[in-house]
Every structure is written in C-alpha cells, then in structure tokens.
Amino acid sequence: DDETPTIAVHPTRKVSQINPNIYAGFTEHMGRCIYGGIYDPGNPLSDENGFRKDVVDALKELNIPTVRYPGGNFCATYHWLDGVGPKDQRPSRPELAWLGTETNQFGTDEFMKWCETVGTEPYLCFNFGTGTLDEALAWVEYCNGTGNTYYANMRRKNGREEPYNVKYWALGNEVWGPWQVEQMTKEAYAHKALQWAKALKLLDPSLVLILCGQDGTASWDYYTLKQCLVPAHSALSTSAVPLIDMHSIHMYTSSNEHLPNATAPLAAERAIEITSALIDLARIENKVPPSQPRPTICFDEWNVWDPIRAEGSLGAEESYTLSDALAVAIWLNVFVRKSRDVGMACIAQTVNVISPLMTTKEGIIKQTTWWPLYLFSRFMRGWTVSAHVSCGVYEGETAPVWLRSAMDTPWLDVSASLGEDGYVDLVVVNINEKRGFETKIEGVRGPVDVYTVTGEGVQSTNMKGKEEVSIRESKWDGGVHYEFPKHSMTLMRWKAE
Ligand code: AHR
C-alpha cells in the first residue's frame, strides 16, 4: 500500500570512501575521563602503567582509529611541559576550564603509551589561550623530532627513543566560546592560526592541521575559512602542502521529548553541507589551485548531551536511554551519508564524561549508545553506497534545531556501505516509538545477518543495574519485505553480487 516504505540499495553506486576516522574518540582532562577512567593506578583492574585494562579491552573491541587529547576546554591553560618527566617532579596546578586541580600525573608520554596499548592514533590540541607558538613548536618537536635537538632529546631522556609521529594537531578548541580563557574575535583567531600554521608546517610539513571552527554555519566559520584556506606558503617545499588540512566543528544534541531528541542529529547533516560549501567558496575566492588537497571536516566533538539532566558537578555523567542510542545511530548515519566531506568525527567523549562507556571501581558499563557505535565501527566501513528511502514523514516540528525547521523528517533514517570484504551493510533506524514499519527492500540478497538494537521503551537505560538495551542477532532470508520494529536500529549485512 501507499504507506509501505521502500528502501532501494545500490551497492554498485559508490558515493565516496568512508574515512575510518569517523569512528574516532576524545579523552579530555575533565571529570572522570582521564583520572578514574582510562588511568586508575592502584586499582586491581589496572595494568603496570595504571591503565584500566577493562577500558582498554572495550576500546579495542570498538576499534577506534584515533583519539583526541587533552581537551576540549582544558587545552586553553594546559602547558604540556608540566606533564612530562619524572612524575614526582611534576607540578600540580589550578585548572581553569573545570575549576579543579591538575596533578599532571598523566601527560603526553602516558597518553602516547595508552594509544599504543589501545591500538589507536593520537590527535593533540594546542593551547591557544595561555600557550605560545614556541611551546607548540616544542611539543611537535618533542613528539616527532628525529634529530639531535633539545626537545627530541628530552623525549629520549624521558624514556622514548623513537618519535611518536603524531599526525593530527588542532589549532585551538572552541576559541569563539565566551567560556574560554582563550576567547578571541574571529579576526584575531584567523591571524594567529595562519601564523602558527606557517611555522608548524615549516617544522613538519606532514602535520595535519585542524582549524578551529564553530558549528560550521556561523560567521566564524565563514570568516576563518576565507582567511586561512589560502594557496600554500611559498617557503613550503611543494604547493600540495596546504596550511590548513581540516576544519573542526562541534555540535551536541538533545531534547526531553523522544522524537526531537532522536532526530536532532539531522541538523548536523545540514551543518556539514553548509561547511562544505564554505570550504569550496573560500578556495574559489582565494584562487587555491585544485592540486592543493581540499580540506575535510573534522567533527571533533559530537554526541547527545544535556548538561542539565546529566549527573556530576560538571553535568557530564550522562545516563543514556534507548532514545539517545537511536540519536547516536542517526548521528552515525549522517557521517556515513556525508563521508565525502567528513574526514574525522570524535564522539565526545570516550570514557565516563558524556560517554557510552562508564567505569566503576569494580568494572565497566556499556551504555545504550555503545551498541550503535560498536555496530557502525565494526561494519560500516569501506564505501558509502547509494541508498534511497521513500516513506512518509513525521508531522510537525521534529528536530527543534533551527537548521531543520524547514525540512522533512522521514519515518526511517538509512545509510549503506560496501566493505572491502564484499559485504553490503544497511542501517535502518525506525524512530517511531509506537509502530514497526513493514518495508520493501530492493537490492537485498539473502542470506542476511541482522543485528537489532532496541529495548522495552525509549526510556530504557543500562545505568540502573541491568542491561536493558543491547544487540539481538538473527537471520533473514532476504525476501521482499522486512518489518523494522518500533524504536530500533537495525543493521543488515549480505554478500554483494
Ligand atoms: O566535551 C566537553 C566540552 O564541550 C569540551 O571541553 C568543549 O570543547 C565543549 O564545549
């Protein structure tokens, strides 16, 4: 009938390659993310480095390619030199982002070691508040230097002979924010970012430098892109080395009502489209030669977050529901659909703070939002392929975000990929809390492995002593119709022809 949705998947129509970095993480010196989260010396669950083994194992399962560090807002007053060398000589300092005390017991070398343990790549953020360019250059030299130079030798003295080869570096964090020690006008920021980028690329042209954007749609984004996406600096060895490689944007979504909560991430899709257009516009206006690689978007903070409802003094320990898990599934559908433009996306954050993974003294809890992240990271890799859904749309205002106000919200939210292994993966999120949708799927070939994330109701949570939301595995013969259950995320996979 007219009401029956149809999903048409075309595995041969490749849209763009999915950068594995869309499954990146973020660990900040904030709340219990580092201390008591990934680093808990003395706990029997920790290894000889003080790293929580259960957290490491869980993150290995998640297979996160890159992790951002040390913030966040924390960066604005962080001096990396405080956090290297013998631990008993490291200073404790007042910390101005979250108003605590930073003991510096966990610093650059500990983070690098932790990344190696987890099997992930580091992404570091410079201090654009109280930090200097000299300090930034020194940090790069400390991490990546191979010569007989002062900071490279300091790293060797601290026990690490080989360079860490840190590729990703951010030119500040949310510098536009009124809460920042580092707050600047867009004019001042663009000037400083360009100056730092020149010096940093002269030191090491292989760095991937990430410009600090806002949400991708602000005049801040327009202005900073226009000023900083310029033809390569003449002192650099080749015109293929741009000063800026990525543009960072941040967005957190939430609502107390299920439908707007689950669908609000669609605003991010619009923000990505706008940012992408601003990148093109800046390159056209600045006459950047096409040989210079086009910057991608680094969505280096995204998640569902409502600091009012979340627990803890920082409003950071969220107790996620099934509704939030569906929102995370839609966030990830957006990144897969927009894989041409998104070079990295970091869920904020990786442990305890606004996170799908929580620790207690005795173990870990995988929140509802863990499961969509796990399924996407495991299967939605390779290429985004064309998937078209025709179905009804929700009535009225669904996502209370300005960007969405004039757009439809379809009943089903989908994305599809084709992996190196020759498997097609299709994700379908049925947001509706009252009804399933019998759906015609074109292009499917049985047998189909089916993974369903759902629970009793949209308020189900894993934080009340019981795992109410997890994955259910089943098989389907790949017939014409499949019913997507109410309030669920379904991932289907089958071998392409
Ligand atoms: O992720 C929590 C905080 O949110 C980050 O420190 C900051 O960048 C953002 O405002």
Side-chain angles (χ1 to χ4, degrees):
D1 66 71
D2 289 349
E3 284 255 293
T4 307
T6 302
I7 296 173
V9 187
H10 302 284
T12 52
R13 282 194 217 152
K14 289 177 173 172
V15 176
S16 49
Q17 217 154 9
I18 298 170
N19 194 315
N21 276 338
I22 66 170
Y23 305 118
F26 170 32
T27 53
E28 174 166 8
H29 286 245
M30 173 181 177
R32 294 195 305 126
C33 181
I34 303 290
Y35 303 108
I38 70 177
Y39 183 68
D40 197 2
N43 189 312
L45 295 173
S46 299
D47 67 11
E48 68 284 3
N49 297 306
F51 303 155
R52 278 285 292 257
K53 286 185 283 193
D54 47 359
V55 171
V56 167
D57 290 344
L59 297 179
K60 277 185 178 164
E61 265 172 53
L62 208 53
N63 191 9
I64 34 176
T66 306
V67 178
R68 180 176 182 242
Y69 174 84
N73 295 344
F74 174 78
C75 296
T77 56
Y78 179 61
H79 297 289
W80 69 270
L81 273 164
D82 288 345
V84 296
K87 287 193 178 179
D88 57 358
Q89 290 167 33
R90 297 186 192 174
S92 280
R93 304 243 189 234
E95 196 287 298
L96 298 186
W98 310 111
L99 301 180
T101 299
E102 176 53 52
T103 62
N104 285 302
Q105 292 303 292
F106 189 96
T108 304
D109 292 295
E110 287 76 27
F111 180 65
M112 297 298 154
K113 181 111 198 164
W114 182 81
C115 285
E116 283 173 359
T117 312
V118 172
T120 192
E121 239 190 281
Y123 160 20
L124 298 179
C125 182
F126 292 121
N127 173 352
F128 251 58
T130 59
T132 63
L133 175 54
D134 269 343
E135 207 177 345
L137 291 164
W139 203 8
V140 173
E141 185 194 323
Y142 184 89
C143 292
N144 296 355
T146 51
N148 181 16
T149 58
Y150 184 81
Y151 289 105
N153 286 336
M154 183 186 283
R155 181 195 70 232
R156 294 184 185 105
K157 191 167 145 243
N158 289 338
R160 171 74 185 204
E161 184 56 41
E162 294 303 312
Y164 292 119
N165 295 324
V166 180
K167 193 157 106 190
Y168 302 104
W169 297 83
L171 299 164
N173 169 74
E174 297 189 354
V175 182
W176 42 269
W179 53 88
Q180 296 288 358
V181 171
E182 62 188 327
Q183 191 189 8
M184 269 176 233
T185 61
K186 54 186 185 295
E187 290 82 7
Y189 173 74
H191 181 81
K192 181 167 165 178
L194 207 55
Q195 185 194 26
W196 282 41
K198 280 180 195 166
L200 289 158
K201 287 267 172 152
L202 286 169
L203 179 67
D204 184 348
S206 73
L207 302 183
V208 172
L209 292 185
I210 299 157
L211 191 67
C212 171
Q214 194 167 333
D215 64 7
T217 72
S219 64
W220 175 282
D221 297 285
Y222 173 71
Y223 184 85
T224 55
L225 283 166
K226 176 72 206 300
Q227 295 303 308
C228 299
L229 296 195
V230 291
H233 182 37
S234 57
L236 290 167
S237 51
T238 147
S239 64
V241 176
L243 290 174
I244 299 298
D245 303 273
M246 302 180 91
H247 185 71
S248 136
I249 61 178
H250 291 177
M251 198 182 282
Y252 293 95
T253 58
S254 77
S255 166
N256 291 333
E257 285 171 64
H258 165 62
L259 193 58
N261 184 58
T263 56
L266 293 170
E269 189 155 22
R270 191 79 188 108
I272 291 166
E273 285 161 1
I274 293 171
T275 312
S276 173
L278 292 180
I279 289 172
D280 286 339
L281 197 64
R283 279 165 62 87
I284 293 166
E285 288 183 353
N286 293 336
K287 300 193 172 44
V288 175
S291 56
Q292 199 170 301
R294 180 178 184 271
T296 53
I297 295 167
C298 182
F299 219 125
D300 53 12
E301 286 187 31
W302 69 269
N303 205 346
V304 181
W305 184 21
D306 178 352
I308 306 294
R309 76 179 183 189
E311 280 178 30
S313 61
L314 301 175
E317 301 220 355
E318 281 276 3
S319 180
Y320 286 116
T321 62
L322 174 60
S323 177
D324 300 326
L326 300 183
V328 163
I330 293 184
W331 265 109
L332 293 164
N333 267 349
V334 167
F335 296 140
V336 170
R337 288 196 290 260
K338 294 291 169 201
S339 61
R340 175 183 166 273
D341 296 311
V342 183
M344 191 187 300
C346 310
I347 189 165
Q349 299 185 2
T350 293
V351 184
N352 286 335
V353 169
I354 335 169
S355 178
L357 184 65
M358 307 300 286
T359 63
T360 64
K361 280 274 162 221
E362 295 80 35
I364 55 171
I365 301 165
K366 291 173 177 165
Q367 295 228 46
T368 59
T369 53
W370 172 271
W371 299 112
L373 195 61
Y374 169 78
L375 285 175
F376 269 83
S377 178
R378 181 160 167 208
F379 296 123
M380 300 301 282
R381 291 181 182 249
W383 290 81
T384 300
V385 295
S386 161
H388 183 76
V389 57
S390 48
C391 64
V393 296
Y394 289 105
E395 297 291 328
E397 196 71 40
T398 52
V401 185
W402 80 111
L403 285 169
R404 285 294 297 172
S405 54
M407 298 170 77
D408 285 338
T409 302
W411 289 336
L412 302 174
D413 191 83
V414 307
S415 75
S417 65
L418 176 67
E420 294 293 335
D421 57 4
Y423 273 81
V424 183
D425 289 278
L426 169 70
V427 169
V428 179
V429 184
N430 177 8
I431 309 138
N432 200 303
E433 62 178 312
K434 301 217 167 64
R435 58 167 291 195
F437 284 106
E438 165 129 316
T439 303
K440 188 172 170 208
I441 307 181
E442 293 171 0
V444 64
R445 263 174 96 232
V448 180
D449 292 331
V450 182
Y451 301 82
T452 311
V453 178
T454 190
E456 279 291 302
V458 291
Q459 292 310 319
S460 297
T461 174
N462 294 349
M463 292 299 286
K464 292 193 180 144
K466 194 168 145 243
E467 187 159 78
E468 294 178 353
V469 175
S470 61
I471 299 177
R472 199 176 60 224
E473 291 187 37
S474 56
K475 300 268 180 213
W476 179 48
D477 64 7
V480 183
H481 290 101
Y482 186 89
E483 172 151 347
F484 294 102
K486 65 182 177 185
H487 51 61
S488 68
M489 165 195 157
T490 305
L491 185 144
M492 298 184 154
R493 63 187 333 250
W494 65 89
K495 190 98 181 126
E497 278 181 61

